[in-house]
Amino acid sequence: MTRKADGIRRRWCKPSRPASGRALMGRKTQNHKTEVSPMTREQLNAKLDRTDISGIGVECIAANGSTVYYFYEDFDGPATGIERAMKQLYPLMDKGKIQKLTFIERRH
């Protein structure tokens, strides 16, 4: 129910709350980041050479011949980096968007 007073509309008995449930959960930290961004071969090598993180590098050759590199970090959870990479990239390979995948791993 609304009323008109002083030229503005006000709601009665409505508690102020966030517009979405996302605001209630808080912001995700860097550790829970699941998006993967393309990088150069040099950037991928630098990530693979680091000893403070573990993961898998992926070289993707697209149908048009361009090469893109991705890094999938191993998180504490149900899926490792290579499992997440396969889950995201194999459907693109089936659709013909990716011609060839190569997984790159370095052991320290």
Side-chain angles (χ1 to χ4, degrees):
M1 176 179 254
T2 60
R3 72 175 177 134
K4 195 135 175 138
D6 339 333
I8 55 175
R9 299 182 88 167
R10 298 183 184 173
R11 290 205 177 260
W12 290 75
C13 301
K14 283 283 187 181
S16 89
R17 61 178 173 82
S20 70
R22 185 171 187 87
L24 291 172
M25 292 186 286
R27 211 171 150 229
K28 288 190 174 186
T29 62
Q30 186 73 10
N31 295 349
H32 295 96
K33 186 176 178 183
T34 57
E35 304 93 37
V36 184
S37 58
M39 56 181 64
T40 64
R41 179 66 189 218
E42 291 80 20
Q43 291 171 324
L44 177 64
N45 286 337
K47 282 261 193 186
L48 290 171
D49 289 339
R50 288 176 55 178
T51 57
D52 60 332
I53 58 174
S54 65
I56 190 89
V58 183
E59 177 185 35
C60 299
I61 300 176
N64 63 4
S66 65
T67 303
V68 180
Y69 298 94
Y70 296 102
F71 179 77
Y72 286 85
E73 187 175 352
D74 290 333
F75 291 123
D76 295 333
T80 62
I82 195 164
E83 290 170 345
R84 289 190 358 263
M86 289 188 298
K87 184 177 178 181
Q88 290 181 3
L89 297 174
Y90 278 175
L92 295 175
M93 200 171 189
D94 292 340
K95 291 179 184 176
K97 294 184 178 183
I98 296 176
Q99 184 179 20
K100 180 182 175 187
L101 284 177
T102 306
F103 294 100
I104 305 164
E105 184 179 31
R106 293 223 176 107
R107 295 280 180 191
H108 297 285

